Amino acid sequence: MSSVPPIEDAAVDPAQEQRLHPWSWLFVLLMQMRQFLLPLVALLVFGNRGDRDEMWSYAAAVVVIAVLVGVSILQFLTYRYRIGRDGISVRSGVVSRNRREIPFARIHNVVVHQNPLHRLFGVAELRLESAGGARPEAEMRVLKLSQALALEQLVRHRGQAPAVPTAATAEVAAATPPRGDDAVLLRLSPWDVVRIGLLSNRGWVVVLAALGATMQLFPRGTMSDAIEYGSRQAFGYASHLHPATWVWALLALVAVLGFWVLLRVFSVALALLRYYGFQLSEHERRLTVVSGLLTRLRSSVARRRIQAWTLRESPLQRWARRRHLRIDIAAGAAVENERRDLRELAPLATPEACDALVRHLLPQLQWPPARWQPVQQRGWWRLCLPALLWLPVVAAAAVWNGLPMGALILLWLPWSAFRAHRQMARMGYHLDAQYVAARGGWWQRWWRFAELDKLQSLRLSRSPLDRWLGTASVWLDTAGAGGSIPLCLRYLPEADARAVYAQLGQALAKRRLHW
């Protein structure tokens, strides 16, 4: 799926309307069946209270399936698309007829999706996404694989002109001349993908999903009774052996290690399913990500659509000298939740590789900054203020209710204070004529930055605590901002914060003059 055929080889005729693949109705039917699966199962299981009820239940199920088949075929027969000079025209609808014109310049992301059934039939699902859209502009279920890749290539060539020409985009275009072939920027080997699983905690997703499914499938109390019965039998058998204390400790350690190993196995399995064959390539200032073991995803986005950048590293990743590079693009929140693979330019790479990738894609920036502006340390205690307020209350309540061991929760206070001091010591920011960057975290470290041309709004914030300490925070926003880390310059002295706010405001006003 990583190779793109020429447009001429894909039988794309722009002179007439095109149909979807002949098996398109089957994939639409399967999607609808998945949505109605639970109601159908409930109808067949709970509707059978006698011979007559059983007959009516099966008849109703057959009618529902027949209606779904008819709707799927009608959607296939009424869906048309035409490729024009400036965009794609889509005509669809069974009862209410809709016609949608999608300019190539509006398409920010192209996703080619293949699950195992798609790969068996040699087809793919194509999604055209735009900035700020809660849903894709067009979803084509399904096209022939070569036809889907040809449409992706067509969007590449006809949607290259930047929407807002600026000096920065002109400099980038001059620094990166077009290439005839895709240039591979990053490729992950199978061992790299296994390392992603070993350094992550995604195994908890499988454990929690299994617990949720068990609670839904089995009656209330059945699982608790089974666990209680199994534990009683196991401890009863072990007590007859009269093991020593160190044997109990060893068994507990083995159980903990076994559970930890199981979590890592689940994490590795999820990483292989998602990142196997990961490849980041570039073609004519457009980035393409291909990944997936069973379900293959091919996402493409123009470099000018990238709004902000985020580097992160956990303690395990720092120990292994690895980082994670993520981007925000101009797209809606719902699209972001679906297309997380596009956000990750480097799921796991060395710090040097991540920095080199940033310098390649942003040649006008000096990354990493030579010097970070530090934050004053005198207000470090504000980061552990919640723990200072509620931990003594919880400990006092536990002791009052006859649980003296609850006072041990106060041992968290020294660690919370130490962590807050280290976090404040590592906070910093950088601001020049090209971009603004912030860094933070100590246990979980992160760096976040954006070009000044991509800023959308600014906000100067001062809480009552800020007014008491003489500090302020500058919040910045870009199109498509997402994730758990905001772009914010926190706890600056008030004079410095106002100076930064004025400088960024001038850059934002200058950008609006180009609109």
Side-chain angles (χ1 to χ4, degrees):
M1 192 166 124
S2 59
S3 60
V4 181
I7 298 178
E8 292 80 4
D9 296 342
V12 178
D13 185 7
Q16 59 181 0
E17 288 187 332
Q18 304 290 327
R19 285 181 178 271
L20 300 176
H21 193 274
W23 287 110
S24 174
W25 67 272
L26 176 61
F27 290 89
V28 175
L29 174 63
L30 293 177
M31 182 192 67
Q32 294 178 343
M33 288 289 293
R34 185 172 55 186
Q35 297 175 353
F36 288 93
L37 180 61
L38 289 179
L40 285 175
V41 171
L43 178 63
L44 294 176
V45 173
F46 300 104
N48 298 335
R49 301 182 181 274
D51 294 338
R52 186 178 182 86
D53 292 338
E54 182 177 359
M55 181 186 66
W56 282 108
S57 299
Y58 282 113
V62 170
V63 170
V64 171
I65 294 175
V67 170
L68 293 179
V69 171
V71 171
S72 303
I73 294 177
L74 285 177
Q75 288 185 5
F76 162 71
L77 294 176
T78 57
Y79 194 100
R80 300 284 192 279
Y81 70 95
R82 183 196 302 272
I83 302 174
R85 179 178 298 274
D86 300 321
I88 299 177
S89 177
V90 176
R91 185 163 57 91
S92 62
V94 178
V95 178
S96 177
R97 303 293 291 165
N98 301 315
R99 182 182 182 91
R100 189 160 196 171
E101 301 290 339
I102 309 172
F104 289 116
R106 186 178 176 181
I107 300 174
H108 291 191
N109 185 23
V110 182
V111 179
V112 181
H113 174 271
Q114 269 194 308
N115 60 31
L117 189 60
H118 288 142
R119 298 168 72 177
L120 179 64
F121 282 81
V123 297
E125 179 180 332
L126 186 73
R127 300 173 188 170
L128 306 178
E129 301 172 352
S130 65
R135 300 182 59 183
E137 292 288 336
E139 294 181 271
M140 300 181 181
R141 301 187 179 98
V142 290
L143 297 174
K144 190 177 179 181
L145 178 59
S146 59
Q147 201 168 3
L149 295 177
L151 281 177
E152 180 199 24
Q153 185 186 22
L154 192 66
V155 174
R156 279 184 180 183
H157 287 282
R158 299 190 183 181
Q160 291 295 329
V164 182
T166 63
T169 55
E171 185 176 352
V172 173
T176 56
R179 296 181 176 91
D181 300 324
D182 289 3
V184 177
L185 303 181
L186 179 67
R187 181 184 288 114
L188 297 184
S189 65
W191 168 240
D192 292 328
V193 179
V194 171
R195 187 185 282 114
I196 293 176
L198 293 176
L199 298 179
S200 67
N201 293 316
R202 291 187 176 93
W204 282 105
V205 176
V206 180
V207 174
L208 296 177
L211 290 176
T214 302
M215 294 177 64
Q216 292 292 331
L217 294 177
F218 294 95
R220 182 177 299 179
T222 302
M223 286 301 301
S224 60
D225 294 341
I227 293 175
E228 181 181 356
Y229 176 77
S231 302
R232 188 179 302 168
Q233 292 294 324
F235 281 106
Y237 176 76
S239 62
H240 287 299
L241 300 178
H242 302 288
T245 304
W246 67 269
V247 175
W248 284 108
L250 181 61
L251 291 175
L253 180 61
V254 170
V256 172
L257 290 178
F259 184 70
W260 183 86
V261 171
L262 184 64
L263 286 179
R264 296 300 153 186
V265 171
F266 288 154
S267 297
V268 170
L270 291 179
L272 289 172
L273 289 174
R274 180 172 178 181
Y275 296 111
Y276 183 82
F278 181 93
Q279 178 177 295
L280 171 66
S281 59
E282 179 186 20
H283 180 82
E284 295 184 356
R285 296 180 292 278
R286 191 174 186 91
L287 302 178
T288 301
V289 170
V290 181
S291 65
L293 179 60
L294 299 179
T295 299
R296 298 290 288 173
L297 287 172
R298 180 185 177 94
S299 301
S300 176
V301 64
R303 279 172 45 174
R304 69 179 184 274
R305 306 300 184 189
I306 300 176
Q307 305 295 313
W309 306 68
T310 305
L311 283 162
R312 301 187 69 170
E313 63 177 24
S314 66
L316 286 177
Q317 291 173 347
R318 185 160 59 252
W319 172 76
R321 289 189 52 79
R322 293 296 187 273
R323 285 180 185 170
H324 171 255
L325 177 60
R326 172 189 171 93
I327 59 172
D328 295 340
I329 63 173
V335 176
E336 178 185 355
N337 294 333
E338 294 181 5
R339 298 271 62 80
R340 292 179 298 175
D341 57 293
L342 181 67
R343 313 301 187 179
E344 297 174 309
L345 293 188
L348 196 68
T350 62
E352 295 78 13
C354 291
D355 293 342
L357 187 58
V358 172
R359 288 193 295 267
H360 171 76
L361 297 176
L362 299 174
Q364 75 278 14
L365 269 57
Q366 297 296 326
W367 180 263
R371 181 176 179 274
W372 292 88
Q373 296 292 334
V375 177
Q376 292 182 357
Q377 298 297 303
R378 63 190 182 100
W380 63 269
W381 50 268
R382 67 168 64 188
L383 298 180
C384 64
L385 187 59
L388 291 175
L389 294 177
W390 68 267
L391 281 181
V393 176
V394 173
V399 174
W400 179 267
N401 288 278
L403 298 174
M405 296 298 292
L408 294 177
I409 197 175
L410 295 176
L411 296 177
W412 182 260
L413 289 177
W415 165 254
S416 179
F418 174 75
R419 185 181 61 176
H421 186 272
R422 297 304 302 166
Q423 285 180 346
M424 186 67 77
R426 197 179 173 276
M427 277 189 183
Y429 71 96
H430 173 81
L431 177 62
D432 59 22
Q434 299 293 334
Y435 74 108
V436 57
R439 72 175 185 182
W442 169 67
W443 192 249
Q444 299 276 351
R445 297 184 178 180
W446 55 266
W447 300 258
R448 187 163 171 81
F449 57 97
E451 300 172 83
L452 299 187
D453 289 340
K454 301 300 177 64
L455 298 180
Q456 298 287 331
S457 64
L458 304 172
R459 179 166 58 92
L460 184 68
S461 173
R462 299 191 71 204
S463 66
L465 194 58
D466 284 319
R467 288 193 288 270
W468 180 44
L469 296 174
T471 59
S473 299
V474 181
W475 295 78
L476 305 94
D477 191 20
T478 59
S484 58
I485 302 177
L487 184 55
C488 178
L489 311 183
R490 296 177 181 269
Y491 313 136
L492 305 183
E494 183 182 359
D496 295 346
R498 294 191 181 278
V500 169
Y501 182 81
Q503 182 178 349
L504 293 175
Q506 292 177 0
L508 186 59
K510 183 179 179 181
R511 179 178 184 267
R512 288 174 176 172
L513 290 177
H514 292 281
W515 290 358

